[in-house]
Amino acid sequence: YNERVVAQHCAVSFLRPAELNDLLTARGREVHRSKRSGIYDVEVTREDGTVIAAFRGHSRVIDGVWLERGPPGPQSNAQQELRGPKQGKS
């Protein structure tokens, strides 16, 4: 969304232990978003689908944006800086 956002509150519930060499997957979703706040859930599961942890986070939008939008067309200066120098040019 290109908005500056900070964490307002979060809670993590550890439901089951992870074991050495477990392949863990975290899946998140935006539950609710309004003009100034949002709620997000993340579940961490093992390969067999067992949920081992659950996270709920609340966010708050603050003033400002992360990247200024450049004019339409070629990449803006901010986008070029993120990608770094072009390869093959001296």
Side-chain angles (χ1 to χ4, degrees), residues 12-45:
V12 181
S13 298
F14 299 99
L15 307 172
R16 298 193 186 282
E19 303 293 334
L20 186 62
N21 297 321
D22 274 353
L23 176 63
L24 304 179
T25 302
R27 287 194 175 84
R29 70 183 186 98
E30 187 174 67
V31 176
H32 171 78
R33 183 172 181 271
S34 66
K35 186 174 181 175
R36 301 280 295 167
S37 62
I39 299 174
Y40 304 88
D41 285 345
V42 179
E43 275 190 350
V44 180
T45 59

Side-chain angles (χ1 to χ4, degrees), residues 37 48 67:
S37 62
D48 66 2
L67 294 174

